[in-house]
Amino acid sequence: MPKAIVFHGYKSSPSNIEWLVKPLEEAGFGVVAPPIRDVEDGYERGLKELPVSVAAGHSMGGTVALLLAAKNPGSVKCVIAVAAPVDRRLQLQYLSQSSDPYLKKLANDLASLGSKLEQTSPSRFIGNGMPPVLYIRGSEDYVVPRTHIDILAGLSDRFNFPLEVVEVQGMGHSPKTEEHVKAVAEAVRKFAARCL
């Protein structure tokens, strides 16, 4: 059975990403969804599972999935990133400008990482050998701006890896309604079938 590793978001847990795990299981993957503390921890956990057919994740977990593929060419066949920061310094700048208390707190947490932000930014490591990427985001996501898709698209052009972008209308940072869950599941299943 092909293997998929799926990472949850910041201060979340594997039980909160059932909407991402389930469609991969339905597509025929054996799914590993470890609890992780941060990007570094997720990356270390991911290394132990390589090689995998799919590395997937939500938000911070999507950053981990992209990083895992970028730093280990040939060990990940496909990446599925949902609302994931591709450049963590850019994400810090964006969050720092917000007046929203939750986003301010996220900005402080990111700022405390210092130079680790650079070392854990997928955009810094994506190059030749990057596998196909599916990037899903909600049209109403105010946590991670659309700019991250533009960065990924630029890298896709430069290093010639396939990038598919799915924007779910009305969805925020994660799927909350049944309609959004279905839209994400459909995109994941279609993409995952091509990774088998």
Side-chain angles (χ1 to χ4, degrees):
M1 182 182 275
K3 184 160 70 172
I5 185 158
V6 184
F7 301 101
H8 61 79
Y10 185 57
K11 293 195 173 173
S12 186
S13 71
S15 62
N16 289 336
I17 50 164
E18 195 56 36
W19 51 266
L20 186 52
V21 169
K22 201 171 167 198
L24 285 167
E25 287 176 338
E26 288 168 356
F29 293 88
V31 178
V32 177
I36 59 171
R37 289 185 309 276
D38 51 35
V39 172
E40 276 185 310
D41 179 46
Y43 180 78
E44 291 303 317
R45 293 295 298 267
L47 280 179
K48 293 175 185 158
E49 300 294 338
L50 294 180
V52 294
S53 294
V54 174
H58 171 243
S59 196
M60 174 190 79
T63 301
V64 175
L66 287 164
L67 195 62
L68 202 59
K71 291 180 84 172
N72 301 280
S75 296
V76 177
K77 264 174 95 176
C78 295
V79 177
I80 299 170
V82 183
V86 178
D87 181 326
R88 299 185 84 206
R89 283 198 182 283
L90 189 77
Q91 181 64 8
L92 172 59
Q93 284 172 8
Y94 169 77
L95 293 173
S96 299
Q97 292 162 6
S98 175
S99 56
D100 181 284
Y102 173 68
L103 297 190
K104 279 270 186 231
K105 184 177 179 341
L106 285 181
N108 290 338
D109 291 353
L110 272 183
S112 71
L113 295 174
S115 64
K116 281 186 187 174
L117 270 190
E118 191 71 28
Q119 295 156 19
T120 53
S121 280
S123 58
R124 186 173 167 215
F125 300 98
I126 289 172
N128 293 318
M130 188 68 180
V133 176
L134 167 64
Y135 192 105
I136 302 171
R137 84 177 291 272
S139 64
E140 307 304 311
D141 187 352
Y142 73 102
V143 179
V144 178
R146 200 175 196 288
T147 331
H148 292 272
I149 293 176
D150 301 335
I151 294 165
L152 206 49
L155 291 164
S156 164
D157 289 345
R158 188 170 159 202
F159 295 109
N160 202 27
F161 63 90
L163 170 65
E164 187 180 325
V165 176
V166 171
E167 195 159 52
V168 180
Q169 288 309 306
M171 185 174 100
H173 189 55
S174 60
K176 298 278 188 236
T177 69
E178 195 177 319
E179 188 184 331
H180 296 154
V181 168
K182 273 186 187 165
V184 169
E186 188 182 344
V188 167
R189 276 195 298 267
K190 275 186 188 167
F191 183 77
R194 299 200 295 272
C195 300
L196 283 169

